[in-house]
């Protein structure tokens, strides 16, 4: 059980709620935002003392599934937030200690069979592990980078363009950065002893005020990205459909960018597939 993270998460979810959100009268002016701890305890059908110990990271024992279900209901947690609560409390299925970076051979072969689709695989820490030539042409020539420089989280928050030009020319750079924070918080909960995960989060918190601000919100659920627009120096603006497939056996994701057949964006992708990695807008 990660007591400190569990307590911080509970506090962040409690402070976002108003009494009227859970059917309680507003009452007199409150000195702090959100519900009171005793109100959460009553709604969750547990003792106030035990809930306080949980939120302060002082609970001696791991909460049971029934207790967590009661707290999740009291705090109006979404399914994703409830799952995160169980991970922090140590009641989720056990995972390996380190996140995986090896990509299945079948996925590598699939990437090469997608000439009109930009496809790449990212790890649980947003490291780009595999990609096809169209991805390199659209985003960056990852083959020219050292493995430690292929991390999209570092690129989003620590690279020089974070203060100026949009990331890879994408239209939703701010939304992507928020998505990165949400996913990394969930990753840290799954791999609390993985030095690659903890080191990345420490570097981002220390090197980016934007990341640190978003991190303190304790959000864990993002809306899916259905489309994304790139402004590419060689072919202009490209709008693509975004599909992300979970590779659950290795805790990785296959990201696919495609465009409707016959559309201007599809024609632009076809041109980039001919130009190949030499057309990449970013080079080391």
């Amino acid at each position: 059980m990660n007591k400190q993270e569990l307590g911080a998460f509970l506090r962040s979810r409690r402070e976002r709620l108003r009494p009227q959100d859970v059917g309680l009268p507003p009452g007199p002016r409150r000195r702090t935002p959100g519900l009171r701890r005793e109100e959460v305890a009553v709604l969750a059908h547990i003792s106030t003392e035990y809930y306080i110990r949980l939120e302060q990271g002082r609970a001696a024992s791991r909460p049971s599934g029934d207790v967590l279900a009661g707290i999740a209901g009291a705090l109006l947690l979404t399914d994703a937030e409830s799952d995160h609560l169980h991970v922090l409390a140590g009641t989720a299925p056990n995972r390996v200690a380190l996140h995986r970076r090896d990509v299945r051979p079948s996925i590598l072969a699939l990437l090469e069979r997608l000439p009109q689709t930009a496809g790449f695989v990212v790890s649980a820490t947003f490291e780009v592990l595999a990609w096809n030539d169209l991805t390199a042409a659209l985003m960056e020539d990852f083959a020219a980078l050292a493995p430690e420089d292929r991390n999209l989280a570092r690129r989003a928050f620590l690279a020089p363009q974070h203060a100026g030009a949009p990331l890879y020319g994408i239209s939703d750079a701010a939304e992507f950065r928020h998505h990165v924070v949400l996913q990394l918080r969930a990753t840290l909960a799954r791999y609390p002893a993985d030095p690659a995960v903890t080191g990345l989060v420490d570097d981002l918190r220390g090197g980016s005020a934007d990341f640190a601000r978003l991190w303190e919100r304790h959000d864990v659920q993002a809306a899916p990205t259905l489309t994304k627009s790139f402004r590419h120096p060689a072919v202009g603006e490209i709008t693509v459909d975004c599909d992300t497939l979970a590779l659950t056996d290795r805790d990785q994701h296959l990201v696919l960018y495609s465009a409707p057949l016959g559309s201007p964006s599809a024609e632009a992708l076809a041109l980039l597939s001919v130009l190949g990695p030499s057309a990449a807008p970013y080079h080391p």
Side-chain angles (χ1 to χ4, degrees):
M1 178 170 67
N2 191 332
K3 293 183 180 181
Q4 297 306 315
E5 281 295 315
L6 174 62
F9 179 64
L10 290 175
R11 184 168 59 254
S12 72
R13 301 303 89 176
R14 174 175 60 82
E15 291 177 348
R16 71 176 180 172
L17 292 175
R18 302 170 301 169
Q20 51 267 44
D21 293 333
V22 294
L24 297 175
R29 183 181 298 275
R30 295 172 178 240
R31 291 177 294 178
T32 57
L35 298 179
R36 296 188 176 99
R37 292 187 180 96
E38 56 267 27
E39 291 171 335
V40 176
V42 169
L43 292 169
H45 305 290
I46 60 177
S47 73
T48 299
E49 292 76 12
Y50 183 60
Y51 180 78
I52 290 174
R53 290 198 300 272
L54 282 175
E55 207 176 271
Q56 293 179 344
R58 297 187 297 107
S61 60
R62 177 184 300 171
S64 68
D66 288 341
V67 167
L68 292 174
I71 292 174
L75 295 176
L76 305 182
L77 300 187
T78 64
D79 288 344
E81 289 170 333
S82 181
D83 290 344
H84 187 61
L85 178 68
H86 280 272
V87 171
L88 293 176
T91 58
N94 290 331
R95 288 181 175 268
V96 295
L98 305 179
H99 76 290
R100 294 187 65 167
R101 300 176 59 252
D102 56 315
V103 180
R104 287 205 313 265
S106 60
I107 297 298
L108 296 175
L110 174 63
L111 289 175
E112 296 306 315
R113 294 196 294 267
L114 298 172
Q116 302 301 316
T117 298
F120 58 99
V121 177
V122 292
S123 71
T125 59
F126 284 92
E127 179 186 353
V128 178
L129 302 174
W131 59 93
N132 59 12
D133 285 349
L134 184 51
T135 294
L138 179 64
M139 296 171 61
E140 185 160 16
D141 186 5
F142 293 105
L145 301 174
E148 60 270 18
D149 295 327
R150 296 173 188 160
N151 189 285
L152 297 183
R154 292 186 184 276
R155 172 67 77 180
F157 287 100
L158 302 180
Q161 80 269 9
H162 177 44
L167 176 71
Y168 297 127
I170 59 175
S171 59
D172 64 337
E175 289 83 355
F176 175 72
R177 292 183 180 107
H178 190 204
H179 170 74
V180 166
V181 176
L182 304 188
Q183 294 301 315
L184 285 182
R185 180 166 286 286
T187 295
L188 182 61
R190 295 195 300 274
Y191 305 101
D194 188 335
V197 176
T198 57
L200 174 63
V201 171
D202 288 344
D203 288 349
L204 293 172
R205 293 182 72 182
S208 170
D210 192 17
F211 182 92
R213 175 184 60 82
L214 292 170
W215 186 259
E216 291 307 313
R217 291 169 54 171
H218 287 269
D219 293 338
V220 294
Q221 185 177 35
T225 299
L226 302 181
T227 62
K228 187 184 294 287
S229 293
F230 292 82
R231 182 164 293 280
H232 194 282
V235 297
E237 185 167 320
I238 305 174
T239 298
V240 297
D241 296 323
C242 302
D243 293 286
T244 301
L245 309 178
L247 308 177
T248 55
D249 63 316
R250 305 192 181 201
D251 201 7
Q252 298 167 359
H253 286 87
L254 172 61
V255 182
L256 301 172
Y257 294 151
S258 61
L261 195 63
S263 68
S265 291
E267 294 174 359
L269 287 178
L271 177 57
L272 285 179
S273 70
V274 174
L275 297 175
S278 63
Y282 294 95
H283 295 276

